[in-house]
């Protein structure tokens, strides 16, 4: 009985230390105007379009993770826009300076302010790691980002938390 209680306490402490030990990640990324792969009118209301786009971005302020720094990456995203709202869902593949990769999903949605331009001046979105290679295999974490854009491209400021114990847990479970 005492062994079971001690085991449960040790497991609880291990879990609590893993949660408390999350590491902050931040970075700033520059992206040119994305390449539009295809666009279609939804035809349910005027100006409602669905677009597939892709882009390659560079990190002007890299994220530092497990001894490496992010250098660039590519995303593919599905964007939905109308005269009153816009949203984007996508997948990003990031490259580290040591050759490792990290994968994340991202999302944002806004209500437009009625301006006629096709870009959104400022958005706030969420992201989450979905995997990685090398030292980033099994990476976990999530965060938020803010982005500003104009007709030439955009800048994204990324922040979040990364679980530094992901390599320990991925090898155990």
């Amino acid at each position: 009985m005492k062994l079971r209680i001690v085991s449960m306490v040790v497991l609880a402490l291990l879990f609590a230390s893993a949660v408390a030990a999350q590491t902050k990640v931040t970075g700033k990324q520059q992206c040119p105007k994305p390449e539009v792969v295809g666009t279609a009118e939804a035809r349910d209301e005027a100006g409602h379009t669905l677009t597939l786009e892709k882009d390659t971005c560079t990190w002007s302020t890299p994220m530092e993770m497990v001894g490496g720094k992010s250098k660039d990456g590519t995303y593919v995203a599905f964007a939905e826009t109308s005269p009153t709202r816009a949203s984007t869902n996508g997948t990003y593949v990031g490259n580290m300076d040591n050759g490792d990769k990290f994968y994340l999903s991202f999302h944002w949605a806004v209500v437009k302010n009625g301006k006629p331009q096709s870009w959104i001046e400022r958005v706030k979105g969420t992201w989450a790691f979905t995997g990685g290679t090398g030292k980033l295999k099994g990476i976990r974490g999530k965060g938020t980002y803010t982005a500003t854009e104009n007709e030439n491209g955009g800048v994204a400021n990324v922040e979040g938390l990364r679980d530094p114990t992901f390599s320990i847990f991925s090898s155990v479970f």
Side-chain angles (χ1 to χ4, degrees):
M1 180 69 144
K2 286 182 181 182
L3 182 58
R4 187 179 339 173
I5 292 172
V6 169
S7 297
M8 291 174 65
V9 169
V10 168
L11 186 59
L13 289 173
L14 179 63
F15 180 73
S17 66
V19 170
Q22 294 203 347
T23 302
K24 186 174 183 175
V25 291
T26 61
K28 185 175 186 177
Q29 184 174 233
Q30 304 274 130
C31 301
K33 186 175 182 177
E35 174 189 341
V36 174
V37 177
T39 299
E41 291 286 329
R43 303 201 305 199
D44 59 344
E45 64 178 301
H48 184 194
T49 60
L50 307 171
T51 303
L52 184 63
E53 60 187 33
K54 64 180 181 176
D55 206 350
T56 298
C57 307
T58 57
W59 290 88
S60 55
T61 305
M63 290 195 304
E64 296 185 31
M65 299 182 287
V66 195
K69 294 181 179 183
S70 57
K71 63 178 188 168
D72 60 19
T74 302
Y75 73 83
V76 175
F78 173 76
E80 181 175 8
T81 60
S82 79
T84 58
R85 67 191 184 292
S87 67
T88 296
N89 293 293
T91 298
Y92 180 87
V93 177
N95 299 304
M96 302 294 284
D97 60 2
N98 64 1
D100 290 347
K101 294 184 182 303
F102 62 94
Y103 314 124
L104 58 87
S105 63
F106 62 92
H107 170 77
W108 63 262
V110 297
V111 175
K112 287 185 175 182
N113 61 6
K115 292 186 178 182
Q117 71 261 24
S118 61
W119 67 87
I120 306 300
E121 291 177 341
R122 186 167 179 81
V123 299
K124 183 170 184 170
T126 59
W127 61 268
F129 288 117
T130 59
T133 66
K135 293 180 181 178
L136 298 178
K137 184 177 181 179
I139 191 169
R140 296 187 305 221
K142 61 183 177 179
T144 61
Y145 67 95
T146 56
T148 57
E149 64 178 26
N150 59 33
E151 66 276 1
N152 299 316
V155 175
N157 291 297
V158 179
E159 64 179 35
L161 296 174
R162 175 188 59 81
D163 183 349
T165 60
F166 64 86
S167 59
I168 295 169
F169 287 130
S170 63
S171 64
V172 173
F173 295 111

